[in-house]
C-alpha cells in the first residue's frame, strides 16, 4: 500500500484538475460530473478547487 501525503496529492498535480480559470491558484475538479443547479435554466458546474487542495480521488498527471 502506497501512502501519499496531502502535498504530493495536491489538485494541481492531479489529472482531473482543470486550471482553465483566470487564476493559477484556482481550477475545476473534473472527477465527478457537473453539479446540477436549482434553476432548470442554469447549466451544471464543476466544483472550484484551489491548486493546493486534495482529496481521495487523486490520480497523478501522466508524464
Amino acid at each position: 500500500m502506497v501512502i501519499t501525503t496531502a502535498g504530493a496529492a495536491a489538485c494541481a498535480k492531479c489529472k482531473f484538475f482543470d486550471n482553465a480559470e483566470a487564476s493559477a491558484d484556482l481550477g475545476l475538479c473534473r472527477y465527478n460530473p457537473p453539479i446540477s443547479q436549482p434553476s432548470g435554466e442554469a447549466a451544471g458546474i464543476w466544483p472550484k478547487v484551489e491548486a493546493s487542495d486534495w482529496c481521495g480521488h487523486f490520480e497523478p498527471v501522466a508524464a
Side-chain angles (χ1 to χ4, degrees):
M1 177 180 183
V2 177
I3 296 176
T4 304
T5 63
C11 290
K13 300 174 185 176
C14 181
K15 76 176 191 175
F16 300 112
F17 181 70
D18 179 0
N19 64 342
E21 294 289 307
S23 169
D25 295 332
L26 291 176
L28 303 174
C29 178
R30 303 281 188 166
Y31 179 80
N32 291 307
I35 300 168
S36 62
Q37 301 302 299
S39 168
E41 293 86 41
I45 58 170
W46 278 274
K48 287 186 179 181
V49 295
E50 291 189 16
S52 60
D53 286 347
W54 63 278
C55 76
H57 300 297
F58 175 79
E59 288 188 36
V61 175

